[in-house]
Amino acid sequence: MKEKITRRDFMKGTAAAAMGMAIGLSPEEIQKTRVILIRHQDALDENSKHNADIIQQMLDEAVMKLLDQKDAVAAWKLLIKPEDIVGIKTNVWRYLPTPAELEGAIKKRLLDVGVKEENIGLNDRGVRNDPLFQKATALINTRPLRTHYWSGIGGCIKNLITFGERWPDYHPDSCADLGLLLKLPQVQGKIRLNILSVLNPQFHGRGAHHFDPRYVWNYKGLIVSTDTVAVDAVGLKIIQAKRLEHFGEEVELETTPKHVKVAGDRHKVGVSDWNRIELVKLGWQDGILI
Amino acid sequence: MKASIFVFLLSMIFSTRGKAVEKIMESIPREISGWQADAADEVYDRETLYEYIDGGAELYLTYAFQNVFARRFVKQDAPEIVLEIYDMNSSQDAYGIFSSERQDEEVGIGQDSEYGGGLLRFWKDKYFVSVLAIGDEQTAKPVVFELGMKVAEAIPAVGERPDLLKYLPQENLLKNRIRFFHTHTILNRQYYLAGENILNLDRQTYCVFAPYQIDKNKSFLLIIHYENRSQAETSYLSFLANYLPEALGTGFAQLENGKWAMIKTSGKFLFIVFEAPSKEWASGLLSKVMRGMELE
């Protein structure tokens, strides 16, 4: 058995096999997982202000298509029951937080389903100690997509780190084991929907806080799925494609975002294999990149 | 008694080696061109840096980071400006953290600097300084520079760059892309080599990674300074065993992508060339380095 995966394995195209051998994967089949990528030209205006009505419309269309329903509330009812206690896991990173318009669109549909307002919570860093999140029966996982200093990308998997007791425990090896967050008692089996905002994602970062407005662009999209890993796999493709377009050559991410693949292959908490993702592209197609 | 005097003298030497970061912050005005300091300065150390930097603290902790002072400047209808002064404990590590993601043009503040996208970064003495404008960059840019210059003036001393930089051959060297670091996680950020630490890098090793532009392609030189000869030799063998087994006996091999890799060791040093266009080019580069270091 080959023990150490190196750059040469990637040159040879054997990294996946090497990783599989190293971790004892079985070749079991996983059904295709559906991911909706929806974009709208007017989701942000020329001043990058988010349009709440358009974002609501995009979210509705995405959820309907995801669940093959013709009515948005009917589709949401397949995800959430009126008696559910729902935590909206958002992201408050000061430079690029989850847009309030998106949080509002989610909350509106939860109320439409019949969830009581007092049973809907919104939190990021305080989820572990938030009484509502502690007794939540359902989670909606949402955040913006960006490159991330230590994990390569920050997506829906990384968004769950605030459920971890000690965040640095997830940092070794480029945060490879972030997928384990989906197995925490407060999370496992509770995520009903993942909404990765690619309304204005960041494809490259600089500085201590890894933020640089030169590398934020108005892609005007949402990636929606019940599969946390799959939305990140699609997000990663978009980031890589944008970097190729911008830099004119393949510039590797500063940190290899291996946690997406490891979450799918090793921890089996979702699908990271592009061949097992059914990507449905809706709306504005210009510059969609993938 | 002699021992306690020695410890006292040693602590005096270290405490006066660089001006304390809080003293520097005190000398920076709390109002500048209409921007006012917002609330008290924030201070974070190695234990609390995670609270301040979401996801980026690990980078600083691979260096000898001691603490950071942060001050926010606000002005109505204008971008917020955040000043951060990082005490990196040595000028080498101040240079190292600056080099870790250098990409923009030099702007002449401190010992090396760059500006882009509202972010001014520079280092001087044992300090790394960041001034970031969040929002309309053009409005804030003059103040960002003014603030940066005031901080640079407040740091009286200058520091030494890492010695290893002296030995980099200059021809075709991409100077703004040189990186100085210690650990394998940072090496992997520049050039993913292996998931595991096959070169035995840690906070006691000194590494410089330098790219060279050859026509449209880039080749890379890695120099590692270990604590002792034994570590260098062990790491040489580990690299051959895990990455370049074909090079056992010769030190070089052509890889699957057609490029060449080459490794040599001498004393406490290890030298590796990646992505070379030919073995002659790799060999020539290493000869220049080793001649410069008087190792051959």
Side-chain angles (χ1 to χ4, degrees):
Chain A
M1 177 191 287
K2 181 171 174 53
E3 290 180 350
K4 297 185 175 76
I5 298 168
T6 74
R7 186 182 194 90
R8 293 196 66 186
D9 290 308
F10 291 95
M11 287 183 198
K12 296 170 190 166
T14 55
M19 186 176 284
M21 288 169 70
I23 61 183
L25 284 183
S26 64
E28 67 184 79
E29 284 295 315
I30 298 177
Q31 281 190 319
K32 277 205 171 188
T33 191
R34 182 179 283 190
V35 178
I36 311 298
L37 168 60
I38 186 165
R39 297 172 70 228
H40 196 296
Q41 209 163 357
D42 299 323
L44 288 90
D45 67 16
E46 62 275 14
N47 298 315
S48 297
K49 186 177 181 326
H50 295 79
N51 183 319
D53 292 337
I54 296 290
I55 290 170
Q56 182 77 66
Q57 181 188 321
M58 290 166 69
L59 181 61
D60 286 348
E61 281 185 40
V63 176
M64 285 191 287
K65 186 67 180 175
L66 181 69
L67 298 163
D68 289 325
Q69 296 292 306
K70 291 185 176 163
D71 176 75
V73 177
W76 275 90
K77 281 183 175 172
L78 295 177
L79 300 169
I80 301 289
K81 303 295 175 206
E83 59 273 22
D84 271 327
I85 298 168
V86 187
I88 303 171
K89 173 61 183 70
T90 190
N91 195 287
V92 299
W93 191 54
R94 60 185 288 125
Y95 306 100
L96 201 62
T98 307
E101 294 82 358
L102 179 56
E103 293 171 344
I106 296 166
K107 187 172 179 184
K108 176 171 171 45
R109 288 299 174 234
L110 293 175
L111 291 168
D112 290 343
V113 163
V115 181
K116 292 177 185 169
E117 180 145 21
E118 62 267 30
N119 285 344
I120 300 172
L122 181 77
N123 207 330
D124 178 8
R125 307 216 165 176
V127 288
R128 279 179 59 81
N129 299 316
D130 183 330
L132 187 139
F133 274 78
Q134 287 173 336
K135 61 183 180 185
T137 56
L139 296 172
I140 306 295
N141 185 21
T142 185
R143 66 161 293 161
L145 173 66
R146 66 176 176 101
T147 50
H148 190 278
Y149 188 81
W150 211 246
S151 59
I153 64 161
C156 280
I157 303 171
K158 178 74 172 63
N159 199 37
L160 302 172
I161 197 160
T162 54
F163 286 102
E165 187 174 351
R166 234 185 70 84
W167 302 356
D169 290 348
Y170 296 91
H171 287 166
D173 193 15
S174 313
C175 303
D177 290 320
L178 283 173
L180 288 173
L181 292 162
L182 280 112
K183 294 184 175 180
L184 292 173
Q186 220 180 331
V187 177
Q188 190 165 31
K190 292 182 180 175
I191 297 178
R192 305 292 173 80
L193 193 66
N194 300 278
I195 305 158
L196 185 57
S197 168
V198 281
L199 292 163
N200 52 344
Q202 176 178 299
F203 64 92
H204 182 59
R206 289 178 66 248
H209 303 281
H210 201 72
F211 176 72
D212 190 325
R214 289 177 294 177
Y215 307 113
V216 175
W217 92 109
N218 290 345
Y219 183 72
K220 303 179 178 180
L222 297 174
I223 304 170
V224 180
S225 178
T226 54
D227 187 321
T228 310
V229 181
V231 292
D232 281 7
V234 174
L236 177 57
K237 282 272 186 191
I238 293 171
I239 291 275
Q240 287 169 328
K242 181 63 183 177
R243 290 169 68 89
L244 183 60
E245 180 191 67
H246 180 86
F247 295 119
E249 59 179 331
E250 275 201 31
V251 176
E252 290 180 44
L253 285 157
E254 288 169 321
T255 301
T256 308
K258 61 174 70 169
H259 70 275
V260 180
K261 183 169 177 53
V262 172
D265 290 354
R266 184 185 302 172
H267 301 308
K268 299 184 186 304
V269 290
V271 175
S272 57
D273 181 352
W274 194 248
N275 295 316
R276 290 185 291 177
I277 292 173
E278 178 198 358
L279 179 63
V280 181
K281 292 183 269 191
L282 303 177
W284 185 40
Q285 299 292 308
D286 187 35
I288 199 162
L289 297 174
I290 57 173
Chain B
M1 183 63 185
K2 280 182 181 174
S4 60
I5 291 171
F6 176 74
V7 169
F8 173 75
L9 290 173
L10 204 61
S11 66
M12 288 297 289
I13 290 167
F14 279 93
S15 66
T16 56
R17 195 171 57 182
K19 194 174 176 181
V21 68
E22 57 267 39
K23 293 288 181 195
I24 296 169
M25 288 299 272
E26 281 172 15
S27 63
I28 305 302
R30 294 184 66 81
E31 188 277 332
I32 183 163
S33 300
W35 270 260
Q36 299 280 347
D38 180 32
D41 295 343
E42 296 171 45
V43 189
Y44 301 90
D45 60 19
R46 291 187 70 85
E47 295 299 315
T48 58
L49 191 61
Y50 291 111
E51 296 167 16
Y52 184 55
I53 302 179
D54 178 7
E58 297 278 5
L59 170 67
Y60 290 79
L61 299 179
T62 67
Y63 294 90
F65 164 79
Q66 299 297 298
N67 53 42
V68 56
F69 274 65
R71 181 180 295 172
R72 298 178 190 281
F73 291 87
V74 294
K75 180 182 176 184
Q76 193 162 11
D77 300 324
E80 180 181 271
I81 297 172
V82 183
L83 166 66
E84 295 164 351
I85 304 179
Y86 295 80
D87 181 346
M88 301 302 296
N89 203 43
S90 74
S91 60
Q92 293 192 66
D93 276 12
Y95 171 84
I97 200 78
F98 172 77
S99 77
S100 67
E101 53 184 2
R102 184 181 194 178
Q103 66 168 48
D104 290 315
E105 293 303 310
E106 171 69 43
V107 291
I109 298 177
Q111 292 188 248
D112 288 300
S113 59
E114 64 169 358
Y115 177 83
L119 175 64
L120 170 67
R121 304 170 71 247
F122 70 90
W123 74 279
K124 189 176 181 188
D125 190 12
K126 61 172 184 167
Y127 302 104
F128 167 68
V129 180
S130 163
V131 189
L132 173 66
I134 306 166
D136 178 8
E137 176 201 345
Q138 289 309 317
T139 303
K141 186 174 177 180
V143 186
V144 167
F145 275 70
E146 188 182 349
L147 201 49
M149 285 187 279
K150 285 191 184 301
V151 175
E153 286 166 12
I155 301 171
V158 293
E160 291 289 322
R161 288 178 173 77
D163 280 347
L164 290 178
L165 300 183
K166 295 175 190 168
Y167 307 113
L168 295 175
Q170 296 298 300
E171 191 180 1
N172 300 318
L173 173 63
L174 296 172
K175 291 175 184 159
N176 282 1
R177 296 288 192 273
I178 298 169
R179 312 299 192 216
F180 175 78
F181 55 92
H182 301 285
T183 69
H184 90 286
T185 52
I186 307 304
L187 170 62
N188 277 349
R189 278 172 48 83
Q190 312 307 330
Y191 186 85
Y192 180 83
L193 181 66
E196 294 191 34
N197 185 11
I198 63 173
L199 287 169
N200 303 311
L201 304 182
D202 59 30
R203 283 185 54 201
Q204 313 312 319
T205 48
Y206 296 84
C207 311
V208 63
F209 186 77
Y212 289 82
Q213 186 78 48
I214 310 297
D215 299 323
K216 289 184 176 176
N217 299 312
K218 290 187 184 72
S219 300
F220 305 96
L221 170 63
L222 173 64
I223 307 177
I224 307 167
H225 183 188
Y226 291 92
E227 279 191 288
N228 56 57
R229 184 188 192 106
S230 169
Q231 287 178 1
E233 288 173 352
T234 303
S235 303
Y236 173 82
L237 294 173
S238 170
F239 182 82
L240 286 177
N242 290 294
Y243 194 79
L244 216 55
E246 307 93 321
L248 197 61
T250 63
F252 56 80
Q254 189 171 25
L255 305 190
E256 292 75 12
N257 61 0
K259 304 289 182 61
W260 291 80
M262 185 167 190
I263 181 167
K264 277 190 175 184
T265 184
S266 179
K268 298 177 182 178
F269 297 95
L270 195 62
F271 310 90
I272 308 176
V273 180
F274 297 103
E275 313 283 341
S278 67
K279 64 181 174 185
E280 291 77 18
W281 188 89
S283 179
L285 187 72
L286 288 191
S287 287
K288 283 180 194 167
V289 176
M290 296 178 78
R291 275 201 303 273
M293 298 175 79
E294 298 180 347
L295 293 172
E296 70 170 33

